Amino acid sequence: MRFLPSSLLLVATLKCASSFTTPPHSKISLTSSPSSNLHAVKIEGYDEAFATIDSCATSGEPSPNLYNAVRFIDKNALQIYPSLDHKQQLWNDAHGSWKLQLATGGGKFTEFKPVPIFAFAMIDDLNFGNGVGLNEGMVLLSLLGPHVYNTQRRQMVITIDDLFLGANRATEYVPGFVKDGMGLGKGVDDYVKPQRPPAFTFIGGSEKALIARGGTGGIAIWTRMERDIRPAAYGQLSDS
């Protein structure tokens, strides 16, 4: 998945978020907010790497040395986030609303490409959500479900519980074969080996950028949005 044609991006977005679970009606927690104090061990080269990453994340344009900057953080993650406290703080700082800006596609690719449509990710205390739309005020399709964070691995496992069209819950209208293909309503424990639920492994984060690797090895870079995406994506559910 190279995140190029819009149709492929939609499929990729659905597959990445493809599988979250909660009771039939997801709940949204409004208590999460990013920490203002980032806890990372700033080894030599950290500031330079994140200066590049932050610049590309906010602009949405890759630079020639972006992949090397991300690779530096990735290779040195155990030094940057050495303890469970560091890893937990990385998770805390990942809470919020994020715009997907750049992605490599599958694991064999080493070049970041701009994402051509508006795509978002959201993490709060209870759920992971993502979707696509025209902009942050007009979300067309989104998914929502609970997450499970493995602190030691810096890994967020996701499952899909609900599908929304234009901020309206439409889960009950999804045909059964589509639900099965998406894993809609399938919990973490419902996966039987060799199947595994979708997951993201966090590579690193800053006040401006979040970097994570998907199950196929592809790397995505998001930039933090000032606006909470939940009302536009999940409508009245965000008030519950």
Side-chain angles (χ1 to χ4, degrees):
M1 297 182 293
R2 292 284 286 173
F3 290 89
L4 294 178
S6 297
S7 59
L8 290 181
L9 176 60
L10 178 58
V11 172
T13 302
L14 293 177
K15 291 299 286 184
C16 286
S18 163
S19 266
F20 352 117
T21 299
T22 29
H25 296 277
S26 301
K27 300 295 183 182
I28 289 183
S29 168
L30 297 176
T31 61
S32 300
S33 59
S35 169
S36 60
N37 184 20
L38 295 173
H39 295 276
V41 178
K42 295 186 177 182
I43 63 173
E44 184 177 356
Y46 174 96
D47 287 335
E48 293 81 357
F50 258 110
T52 296
I53 294 165
D54 286 347
S55 176
C56 293
T58 53
S59 70
E61 295 294 331
S63 69
N65 59 338
L66 175 59
Y67 184 80
N68 286 337
V70 171
R71 190 164 180 265
F72 174 85
I73 300 298
D74 192 15
K75 288 178 61 178
N76 293 285
L78 292 180
Q79 297 181 59
I80 296 170
Y81 307 104
S83 70
L84 289 179
D85 287 342
H86 289 94
K87 295 176 175 70
Q88 181 62 46
Q89 189 60 49
L90 173 62
W91 168 244
N92 294 344
D93 293 330
H95 283 52
S97 299
W98 300 88
K99 180 183 177 184
L100 180 60
Q101 293 282 65
L102 301 155
T104 62
K108 66 181 181 179
F109 299 111
T110 60
E111 182 181 1
F112 282 93
K113 297 286 188 180
V115 175
I117 69 172
F118 176 80
F120 76 90
M122 182 284 303
I123 301 172
D124 65 16
D125 288 341
L126 301 177
N127 296 307
F128 171 82
N130 72 348
V132 294
L134 300 181
N135 52 54
E136 62 185 72
M138 187 171 289
V139 176
L140 302 179
L141 183 151
S142 55
L143 304 171
L144 183 71
H147 49 59
V148 178
Y149 182 61
N150 184 316
T151 308
Q152 182 61 44
R153 296 182 178 180
R154 310 188 316 277
Q155 185 179 77
M156 174 182 65
V157 176
I158 57 178
T159 56
I160 307 177
D161 193 54
D162 280 311
L163 181 147
F164 292 76
L165 296 175
N168 297 303
R169 186 176 180 273
T171 310
E172 58 268 35
Y173 304 113
V174 179
F177 72 94
V178 176
K179 288 183 178 180
D180 292 341
M182 294 173 58
L184 189 61
K186 193 173 183 179
V188 173
D189 294 335
D190 295 326
Y191 285 84
V192 179
K193 292 182 178 181
Q195 290 185 327
R196 291 183 298 176
F200 288 109
T201 299
F202 293 106
I203 293 174
S206 70
E207 293 179 348
K208 298 179 180 179
L210 183 66
I211 319 160
R213 176 181 289 105
T216 63
I219 299 173
I221 299 176
W222 292 265
T223 190
R224 189 183 297 278
M225 293 189 288
E226 294 184 4
R227 183 174 179 175
D228 186 346
I229 197 67
R230 290 174 293 189
Y234 309 114
Q236 294 182 352
L237 191 61
S238 64
D239 297 326
S240 61

Short mmCIF file of all heavy atoms in Angstrom, two decimals, residues 167-231:
data_model
loop_
_atom_site.label_atom_id
_atom_site.label_comp_id
_atom_site.label_asym_id
_atom_site.label_seq_id
_atom_site.Cartn_x
_atom_site.Cartn_y
_atom_site.Cartn_z
N ALA A 167 -20.37 11.16 10.46
CA ALA A 167 -20.53 11.33 11.91
C ALA A 167 -21.77 10.62 12.45
O ALA A 167 -22.11 10.76 13.62
CB ALA A 167 -20.56 12.81 12.30
N ASN A 168 -22.46 9.84 11.61
CA ASN A 168 -23.61 9.08 12.06
C ASN A 168 -23.25 7.59 12.14
O ASN A 168 -22.69 7.03 11.19
CB ASN A 168 -24.78 9.26 11.09
CG ASN A 168 -25.26 10.70 11.03
OD1 ASN A 168 -25.63 11.28 12.05
ND2 ASN A 168 -25.25 11.28 9.84
N ARG A 169 -23.59 6.98 13.27
CA ARG A 169 -23.27 5.56 13.45
C ARG A 169 -24.07 4.72 12.47
O ARG A 169 -25.30 4.81 12.40
CB ARG A 169 -23.57 5.14 14.89
CG ARG A 169 -23.14 3.72 15.23
CD ARG A 169 -23.40 3.44 16.71
NE ARG A 169 -22.99 2.09 17.06
CZ ARG A 169 -23.77 1.02 16.94
NH1 ARG A 169 -25.00 1.17 16.46
NH2 ARG A 169 -23.34 -0.17 17.25
N ALA A 170 -23.37 3.90 11.68
CA ALA A 170 -24.01 3.11 10.63
C ALA A 170 -23.65 1.63 10.74
O ALA A 170 -23.82 0.88 9.78
CB ALA A 170 -23.61 3.65 9.26
N THR A 171 -23.17 1.20 11.89
CA THR A 171 -22.70 -0.17 12.07
C THR A 171 -23.76 -1.20 11.70
O THR A 171 -23.47 -2.20 11.04
CB THR A 171 -22.25 -0.39 13.53
OG1 THR A 171 -21.36 0.66 13.91
CG2 THR A 171 -21.57 -1.73 13.69
N GLU A 172 -25.00 -0.96 12.13
CA GLU A 172 -26.05 -1.95 11.93
C GLU A 172 -26.45 -2.10 10.46
O GLU A 172 -27.13 -3.07 10.10
CB GLU A 172 -27.29 -1.61 12.77
CG GLU A 172 -27.87 -0.25 12.50
CD GLU A 172 -27.32 0.83 13.42
OE1 GLU A 172 -26.12 0.75 13.78
OE2 GLU A 172 -28.09 1.74 13.78
N TYR A 173 -26.04 -1.16 9.62
CA TYR A 173 -26.40 -1.22 8.21
C TYR A 173 -25.32 -1.86 7.34
O TYR A 173 -25.50 -2.01 6.14
CB TYR A 173 -26.71 0.19 7.69
CG TYR A 173 -27.78 0.90 8.48
CD1 TYR A 173 -27.46 2.02 9.26
CD2 TYR A 173 -29.10 0.44 8.49
CE1 TYR A 173 -28.43 2.66 10.01
CE2 TYR A 173 -30.08 1.08 9.24
CZ TYR A 173 -29.74 2.20 10.00
OH TYR A 173 -30.70 2.82 10.74
N VAL A 174 -24.21 -2.19 7.94
CA VAL A 174 -23.11 -2.79 7.17
C VAL A 174 -23.44 -4.26 6.89
O VAL A 174 -23.75 -5.01 7.82
CB VAL A 174 -21.78 -2.69 7.95
CG1 VAL A 174 -20.64 -3.34 7.16
CG2 VAL A 174 -21.45 -1.24 8.26
N PRO A 175 -23.38 -4.69 5.62
CA PRO A 175 -23.67 -6.10 5.29
C PRO A 175 -22.73 -7.04 6.03
O PRO A 175 -21.57 -6.71 6.32
CB PRO A 175 -23.45 -6.16 3.78
CG PRO A 175 -23.61 -4.76 3.31
CD PRO A 175 -23.11 -3.89 4.43
N GLY A 176 -23.22 -8.24 6.32
CA GLY A 176 -22.44 -9.21 7.09
C GLY A 176 -21.12 -9.56 6.47
O GLY A 176 -20.10 -9.66 7.17
N PHE A 177 -21.08 -9.72 5.13
CA PHE A 177 -19.82 -10.11 4.50
C PHE A 177 -18.80 -8.98 4.58
O PHE A 177 -17.59 -9.22 4.65
CB PHE A 177 -20.05 -10.53 3.04
CG PHE A 177 -20.37 -9.40 2.09
CD1 PHE A 177 -19.35 -8.79 1.36
CD2 PHE A 177 -21.67 -8.95 1.92
CE1 PHE A 177 -19.63 -7.76 0.48
CE2 PHE A 177 -21.96 -7.92 1.05
CZ PHE A 177 -20.94 -7.32 0.32
N VAL A 178 -19.29 -7.72 4.60
CA VAL A 178 -18.37 -6.58 4.75
C VAL A 178 -17.84 -6.54 6.18
O VAL A 178 -16.66 -6.30 6.42
CB VAL A 178 -19.06 -5.26 4.38
CG1 VAL A 178 -18.13 -4.08 4.64
CG2 VAL A 178 -19.51 -5.28 2.93
N LYS A 179 -18.73 -6.77 7.15
CA LYS A 179 -18.29 -6.81 8.55
C LYS A 179 -17.22 -7.87 8.76
O LYS A 179 -16.21 -7.63 9.43
CB LYS A 179 -19.48 -7.10 9.48
CG LYS A 179 -20.48 -5.97 9.63
CD LYS A 179 -21.57 -6.36 10.62
CE LYS A 179 -22.54 -5.23 10.83
NZ LYS A 179 -23.61 -5.57 11.79
N ASP A 180 -17.45 -9.04 8.16
CA ASP A 180 -16.48 -10.12 8.32
C ASP A 180 -15.14 -9.75 7.70
O ASP A 180 -14.07 -10.04 8.27
CB ASP A 180 -17.01 -11.40 7.68
CG ASP A 180 -18.21 -11.97 8.41
OD1 ASP A 180 -18.41 -11.60 9.58
OD2 ASP A 180 -18.96 -12.77 7.80
N GLY A 181 -15.18 -9.12 6.53
CA GLY A 181 -13.94 -8.74 5.86
C GLY A 181 -13.17 -7.67 6.60
O GLY A 181 -11.93 -7.65 6.58
N MET A 182 -13.89 -6.78 7.29
CA MET A 182 -13.25 -5.71 8.06
C MET A 182 -12.85 -6.16 9.44
O MET A 182 -12.04 -5.50 10.10
CB MET A 182 -14.20 -4.52 8.19
CG MET A 182 -14.54 -3.80 6.91
SD MET A 182 -15.83 -2.57 7.20
CE MET A 182 -15.05 -1.56 8.46
N GLY A 183 -13.44 -7.23 9.92
CA GLY A 183 -13.24 -7.62 11.31
C GLY A 183 -14.09 -6.79 12.25
O GLY A 183 -13.78 -6.66 13.44
N LEU A 184 -15.18 -6.21 11.73
CA LEU A 184 -16.05 -5.37 12.52
C LEU A 184 -16.73 -6.19 13.62
O LEU A 184 -17.39 -7.19 13.36
CB LEU A 184 -17.11 -4.73 11.62
CG LEU A 184 -18.00 -3.64 12.21
CD1 LEU A 184 -17.17 -2.46 12.68
CD2 LEU A 184 -19.03 -3.20 11.18
N GLY A 185 -16.55 -5.77 14.87
CA GLY A 185 -17.11 -6.48 16.00
C GLY A 185 -16.26 -7.63 16.49
O GLY A 185 -16.67 -8.38 17.37
N LYS A 186 -15.06 -7.75 15.96
CA LYS A 186 -14.17 -8.85 16.32
C LYS A 186 -13.18 -8.38 17.38
O LYS A 186 -12.44 -7.42 17.17
CB LYS A 186 -13.43 -9.33 15.08
CG LYS A 186 -12.70 -10.66 15.22
CD LYS A 186 -12.15 -11.10 13.87
CE LYS A 186 -11.47 -12.45 13.96
NZ LYS A 186 -10.95 -12.89 12.64
N GLY A 187 -13.18 -9.03 18.53
CA GLY A 187 -12.29 -8.65 19.62
C GLY A 187 -10.91 -9.25 19.50
O GLY A 187 -10.67 -10.14 18.67
N VAL A 188 -10.01 -8.78 20.32
CA VAL A 188 -8.63 -9.27 20.30
C VAL A 188 -8.58 -10.78 20.49
O VAL A 188 -7.85 -11.50 19.80
CB VAL A 188 -7.79 -8.56 21.38
CG1 VAL A 188 -6.40 -9.18 21.48
CG2 VAL A 188 -7.67 -7.07 21.07
N ASP A 189 -9.39 -11.28 21.40
CA ASP A 189 -9.38 -12.71 21.71
C ASP A 189 -10.06 -13.56 20.64
O ASP A 189 -9.99 -14.80 20.69
CB ASP A 189 -10.05 -12.96 23.06
CG ASP A 189 -9.27 -12.35 24.22
OD1 ASP A 189 -8.04 -12.18 24.06
OD2 ASP A 189 -9.89 -12.04 25.25
N ASP A 190 -10.72 -12.92 19.67
CA ASP A 190 -11.39 -13.65 18.61
C ASP A 190 -10.45 -14.05 17.48
O ASP A 190 -10.83 -14.84 16.61
CB ASP A 190 -12.54 -12.82 18.03
CG ASP A 190 -13.64 -12.56 19.05
OD1 ASP A 190 -13.87 -13.45 19.89
OD2 ASP A 190 -14.25 -11.48 19.01
N TYR A 191 -9.24 -13.53 17.51
CA TYR A 191 -8.27 -13.86 16.46
C TYR A 191 -7.58 -15.18 16.81
O TYR A 191 -7.11 -15.37 17.94
CB TYR A 191 -7.24 -12.75 16.31
CG TYR A 191 -7.78 -11.54 15.58
CD1 TYR A 191 -8.50 -10.56 16.26
CD2 TYR A 191 -7.60 -11.38 14.21
CE1 TYR A 191 -9.02 -9.45 15.60
CE2 TYR A 191 -8.11 -10.28 13.54
CZ TYR A 191 -8.82 -9.33 14.25
OH TYR A 191 -9.34 -8.24 13.58
N VAL A 192 -7.54 -16.07 15.85
CA VAL A 192 -6.93 -17.38 16.04
C VAL A 192 -5.65 -17.44 15.21
O VAL A 192 -5.65 -17.09 14.03
CB VAL A 192 -7.89 -18.51 15.60
CG1 VAL A 192 -7.23 -19.86 15.79
CG2 VAL A 192 -9.20 -18.42 16.40
N LYS A 193 -4.55 -17.86 15.83
CA LYS A 193 -3.29 -17.94 15.13
C LYS A 193 -3.42 -18.79 13.87
O LYS A 193 -4.14 -19.79 13.87
CB LYS A 193 -2.20 -18.53 16.05
CG LYS A 193 -1.83 -17.62 17.20
CD LYS A 193 -0.72 -18.23 18.05
CE LYS A 193 -0.33 -17.29 19.18
NZ LYS A 193 0.76 -17.83 20.02
N PRO A 194 -2.78 -18.34 12.76
CA PRO A 194 -1.76 -17.30 12.66
C PRO A 194 -2.32 -15.89 12.49
O PRO A 194 -1.56 -14.94 12.28
CB PRO A 194 -0.99 -17.72 11.42
CG PRO A 194 -2.02 -18.35 10.54
CD PRO A 194 -2.95 -19.07 11.49
N GLN A 195 -3.63 -15.69 12.57
CA GLN A 195 -4.20 -14.36 12.45
C GLN A 195 -3.86 -13.53 13.68
O GLN A 195 -3.80 -14.05 14.80
CB GLN A 195 -5.71 -14.43 12.29
CG GLN A 195 -6.19 -14.98 10.95
CD GLN A 195 -7.70 -14.90 10.84
OE1 GLN A 195 -8.43 -15.01 11.82
NE2 GLN A 195 -8.17 -14.69 9.62
N ARG A 196 -3.65 -12.25 13.45
CA ARG A 196 -3.38 -11.33 14.54
C ARG A 196 -4.19 -10.07 14.33
O ARG A 196 -4.40 -9.64 13.19
CB ARG A 196 -1.89 -10.98 14.62
CG ARG A 196 -0.99 -12.13 15.05
CD ARG A 196 0.45 -11.67 15.17
NE ARG A 196 0.98 -11.20 13.89
CZ ARG A 196 2.19 -10.66 13.73
NH1 ARG A 196 2.98 -10.54 14.78
NH2 ARG A 196 2.60 -10.28 12.54
N PRO A 197 -4.64 -9.44 15.40
CA PRO A 197 -5.37 -8.18 15.23
C PRO A 197 -4.42 -7.08 14.76
O PRO A 197 -3.22 -7.15 14.98
CB PRO A 197 -5.88 -7.88 16.65
CG PRO A 197 -4.92 -8.60 17.55
CD PRO A 197 -4.51 -9.84 16.80
N PRO A 198 -4.95 -6.07 14.08
CA PRO A 198 -4.11 -4.95 13.63
C PRO A 198 -3.43 -4.26 14.81
O PRO A 198 -3.99 -4.22 15.92
CB PRO A 198 -5.10 -4.01 12.94
CG PRO A 198 -6.27 -4.87 12.61
CD PRO A 198 -6.35 -5.90 13.69
N ALA A 199 -2.26 -3.73 14.56
CA ALA A 199 -1.51 -3.07 15.64
C ALA A 199 -0.57 -2.03 15.05
O ALA A 199 -0.14 -2.13 13.90
CB ALA A 199 -0.72 -4.08 16.45
N PHE A 200 -0.29 -1.02 15.85
CA PHE A 200 0.73 -0.02 15.53
C PHE A 200 1.80 -0.08 16.61
O PHE A 200 1.48 -0.13 17.80
CB PHE A 200 0.15 1.39 15.51
CG PHE A 200 -0.74 1.69 14.35
CD1 PHE A 200 -2.11 1.83 14.52
CD2 PHE A 200 -0.21 1.86 13.07
CE1 PHE A 200 -2.93 2.12 13.45
CE2 PHE A 200 -1.03 2.14 12.00
CZ PHE A 200 -2.39 2.28 12.19
N THR A 201 3.05 -0.04 16.22
CA THR A 201 4.16 0.08 17.16
C THR A 201 4.68 1.50 17.07
O THR A 201 5.08 1.96 15.99
CB THR A 201 5.29 -0.91 16.84
OG1 THR A 201 4.78 -2.24 16.94
CG2 THR A 201 6.45 -0.74 17.82
N PHE A 202 4.66 2.21 18.19
CA PHE A 202 5.10 3.60 18.19
C PHE A 202 6.62 3.68 18.14
O PHE A 202 7.32 3.08 18.95
CB PHE A 202 4.57 4.32 19.43
CG PHE A 202 3.08 4.48 19.43
CD1 PHE A 202 2.29 3.70 20.26
CD2 PHE A 202 2.46 5.38 18.59
CE1 PHE A 202 0.92 3.81 20.25
CE2 PHE A 202 1.08 5.51 18.56
CZ PHE A 202 0.30 4.73 19.40
N ILE A 203 7.11 4.42 17.17
CA ILE A 203 8.55 4.64 17.02
C ILE A 203 8.99 5.83 17.86
O ILE A 203 10.04 5.80 18.52
CB ILE A 203 8.90 4.87 15.54
CG1 ILE A 203 8.66 3.57 14.75
CG2 ILE A 203 10.35 5.32 15.38
CD1 ILE A 203 8.83 3.72 13.25
N GLY A 204 8.20 6.88 17.87
CA GLY A 204 8.55 8.07 18.64
C GLY A 204 7.51 9.14 18.47
O GLY A 204 6.59 9.04 17.64
N GLY A 205 7.63 10.18 19.27
CA GLY A 205 6.67 11.26 19.19
C GLY A 205 7.24 12.55 19.75
O GLY A 205 8.20 12.55 20.52
N SER A 206 6.65 13.64 19.34
CA SER A 206 7.00 14.97 19.84
C SER A 206 5.71 15.74 20.02
O SER A 206 4.62 15.20 19.87
CB SER A 206 7.92 15.68 18.85
OG SER A 206 7.21 16.05 17.68
N GLU A 207 5.82 17.01 20.32
CA GLU A 207 4.62 17.82 20.46
C GLU A 207 3.93 18.01 19.12
O GLU A 207 2.73 18.29 19.07
CB GLU A 207 4.98 19.19 21.06
CG GLU A 207 5.45 19.11 22.50
CD GLU A 207 5.82 20.47 23.07
OE1 GLU A 207 5.91 21.42 22.26
OE2 GLU A 207 6.02 20.57 24.28
N LYS A 208 4.67 17.84 18.02
CA LYS A 208 4.11 18.09 16.69
C LYS A 208 3.89 16.83 15.87
O LYS A 208 3.07 16.84 14.94
CB LYS A 208 5.05 19.02 15.91
CG LYS A 208 5.23 20.40 16.52
CD LYS A 208 6.19 21.23 15.69
CE LYS A 208 6.37 22.62 16.30
NZ LYS A 208 7.34 23.43 15.50
N ALA A 209 4.61 15.76 16.15
CA ALA A 209 4.59 14.59 15.27
C ALA A 209 4.46 13.30 16.05
O ALA A 209 4.90 13.19 17.20
CB ALA A 209 5.87 14.56 14.42
N LEU A 210 3.86 12.32 15.40
CA LEU A 210 3.76 10.96 15.93
C LEU A 210 4.16 10.01 14.82
O LEU A 210 3.69 10.13 13.68
CB LEU A 210 2.33 10.67 16.39
CG LEU A 210 2.09 9.30 17.04
CD1 LEU A 210 2.83 9.21 18.37
CD2 LEU A 210 0.59 9.08 17.26
N ILE A 211 5.05 9.05 15.14
CA ILE A 211 5.56 8.10 14.16
C ILE A 211 5.22 6.70 14.62
O ILE A 211 5.47 6.34 15.78
CB ILE A 211 7.09 8.21 14.00
CG1 ILE A 211 7.56 9.66 14.01
CG2 ILE A 211 7.57 7.49 12.74
CD1 ILE A 211 9.03 9.81 14.35
N ALA A 212 4.68 5.87 13.73
CA ALA A 212 4.35 4.50 14.10
C ALA A 212 4.51 3.59 12.90
O ALA A 212 4.41 4.00 11.75
CB ALA A 212 2.93 4.42 14.65
N ARG A 213 4.73 2.31 13.21
CA ARG A 213 4.87 1.28 12.18
C ARG A 213 3.64 0.36 12.23
O ARG A 213 3.24 -0.08 13.30
CB ARG A 213 6.14 0.46 12.40
CG ARG A 213 6.30 -0.70 11.42
CD ARG A 213 7.56 -1.51 11.68
NE ARG A 213 8.76 -0.76 11.32
CZ ARG A 213 9.59 -0.21 12.19
NH1 ARG A 213 9.35 -0.33 13.49
NH2 ARG A 213 10.64 0.44 11.79
N GLY A 214 3.07 0.09 11.07
CA GLY A 214 1.92 -0.80 10.99
C GLY A 214 2.34 -2.25 10.88
O GLY A 214 3.53 -2.58 10.85
N GLY A 215 1.35 -3.11 10.76
CA GLY A 215 1.62 -4.54 10.75
C GLY A 215 2.38 -5.03 9.55
O GLY A 215 3.08 -6.06 9.62
N THR A 216 2.29 -4.31 8.42
CA THR A 216 3.03 -4.72 7.22
C THR A 216 4.44 -4.15 7.18
O THR A 216 5.19 -4.42 6.24
CB THR A 216 2.28 -4.29 5.95
OG1 THR A 216 2.20 -2.85 5.90
CG2 THR A 216 0.87 -4.87 5.92
N GLY A 217 4.80 -3.36 8.19
CA GLY A 217 6.14 -2.77 8.24
C GLY A 217 6.20 -1.35 7.72
O GLY A 217 7.23 -0.68 7.85
N GLY A 218 5.13 -0.86 7.14
CA GLY A 218 5.11 0.51 6.66
C GLY A 218 5.10 1.50 7.81
O GLY A 218 4.60 1.22 8.90
N ILE A 219 5.66 2.68 7.58
CA ILE A 219 5.77 3.70 8.62
C ILE A 219 4.90 4.90 8.24
O ILE A 219 4.91 5.33 7.08
CB ILE A 219 7.23 4.14 8.80
CG1 ILE A 219 8.10 2.96 9.22
CG2 ILE A 219 7.33 5.26 9.85
CD1 ILE A 219 9.58 3.28 9.26
N ALA A 220 4.17 5.41 9.20
CA ALA A 220 3.31 6.57 8.99
C ALA A 220 3.72 7.69 9.94
O ALA A 220 4.19 7.44 11.05
CB ALA A 220 1.85 6.21 9.21
N ILE A 221 3.55 8.91 9.47
CA ILE A 221 3.84 10.10 10.27
C ILE A 221 2.59 10.96 10.30
O ILE A 221 2.04 11.33 9.26
CB ILE A 221 5.02 10.91 9.71
CG1 ILE A 221 6.30 10.05 9.69
CG2 ILE A 221 5.24 12.18 10.53
CD1 ILE A 221 7.49 10.75 9.06
N TRP A 222 2.15 11.29 11.51
CA TRP A 222 1.00 12.16 11.70
C TRP A 222 1.47 13.49 12.30
O TRP A 222 2.50 13.56 12.96
CB TRP A 222 0.01 11.55 12.67
CG TRP A 222 -0.72 10.33 12.23
CD1 TRP A 222 -1.96 10.25 11.65
CD2 TRP A 222 -0.28 8.96 12.36
NE1 TRP A 222 -2.30 8.94 11.42
CE2 TRP A 222 -1.30 8.12 11.84
CE3 TRP A 222 0.88 8.36 12.86
CZ2 TRP A 222 -1.19 6.74 11.80
CZ3 TRP A 222 1.01 6.98 12.83
CH2 TRP A 222 -0.03 6.19 12.30
N THR A 223 0.66 14.53 12.11
CA THR A 223 0.88 15.79 12.81
C THR A 223 -0.33 16.07 13.68
O THR A 223 -1.47 15.76 13.32
CB THR A 223 1.12 16.95 11.81
OG1 THR A 223 1.56 18.11 12.54
CG2 THR A 223 -0.14 17.31 11.04
N ARG A 224 -0.07 16.63 14.85
CA ARG A 224 -1.16 16.87 15.79
C ARG A 224 -2.08 17.98 15.28
O ARG A 224 -1.62 19.02 14.82
CB ARG A 224 -0.61 17.25 17.17
CG ARG A 224 -1.69 17.30 18.25
CD ARG A 224 -1.13 17.74 19.59
NE ARG A 224 -0.15 16.82 20.14
CZ ARG A 224 -0.46 15.71 20.81
NH1 ARG A 224 -1.72 15.38 20.99
NH2 ARG A 224 0.49 14.96 21.31
N MET A 225 -3.37 17.75 15.39
CA MET A 225 -4.36 18.75 15.02
C MET A 225 -4.77 19.54 16.27
O MET A 225 -4.92 18.97 17.35
CB MET A 225 -5.59 18.09 14.39
CG MET A 225 -5.31 17.45 13.04
SD MET A 225 -6.83 16.90 12.21
CE MET A 225 -7.25 15.47 13.23
N GLU A 226 -4.95 20.82 16.12
CA GLU A 226 -5.40 21.64 17.24
C GLU A 226 -6.86 21.34 17.57
O GLU A 226 -7.29 21.46 18.72
CB GLU A 226 -5.24 23.12 16.90
CG GLU A 226 -3.78 23.56 16.75
CD GLU A 226 -3.66 25.05 16.51
OE1 GLU A 226 -4.72 25.73 16.53
OE2 GLU A 226 -2.54 25.54 16.30
N ARG A 227 -7.61 20.93 16.57
CA ARG A 227 -9.04 20.70 16.73
C ARG A 227 -9.32 19.24 17.09
O ARG A 227 -8.76 18.33 16.47
CB ARG A 227 -9.74 21.07 15.43
CG ARG A 227 -11.25 20.97 15.43
CD ARG A 227 -11.77 21.51 14.10
NE ARG A 227 -13.21 21.43 13.99
CZ ARG A 227 -13.89 21.93 12.97
NH1 ARG A 227 -13.25 22.53 11.98
NH2 ARG A 227 -15.22 21.82 12.92
N ASP A 228 -10.19 19.00 18.05
CA ASP A 228 -10.61 17.65 18.42
C ASP A 228 -11.46 17.10 17.28
O ASP A 228 -12.51 17.66 16.94
CB ASP A 228 -11.41 17.72 19.71
CG ASP A 228 -11.78 16.35 20.27
OD1 ASP A 228 -11.66 15.35 19.54
OD2 ASP A 228 -12.22 16.29 21.44
N ILE A 229 -11.04 15.99 16.69
CA ILE A 229 -11.73 15.43 15.53
C ILE A 229 -13.00 14.67 15.91
O ILE A 229 -13.86 14.38 15.05
CB ILE A 229 -10.78 14.49 14.75
CG1 ILE A 229 -11.29 14.23 13.32
CG2 ILE A 229 -10.57 13.18 15.51
CD1 ILE A 229 -11.28 15.43 12.43
N ARG A 230 -13.18 14.35 17.17
CA ARG A 230 -14.27 13.45 17.57
C ARG A 230 -15.68 13.95 17.25
O ARG A 230 -16.50 13.18 16.75
CB ARG A 230 -14.12 13.09 19.05
CG ARG A 230 -12.93 12.18 19.31
CD ARG A 230 -12.68 11.93 20.78
NE ARG A 230 -12.28 13.15 21.47
CZ ARG A 230 -11.83 13.17 22.73
NH1 ARG A 230 -11.75 12.04 23.42
NH2 ARG A 230 -11.47 14.29 23.29
N PRO A 231 -15.99 15.22 17.46
CA PRO A 231 -17.35 15.67 17.09
C PRO A 231 -17.64 15.53 15.60
O PRO A 231 -18.75 15.13 15.21
CB PRO A 231 -17.36 17.14 17.53
CG PRO A 231 -16.37 17.21 18.64
CD PRO A 231 -15.28 16.25 18.23
#
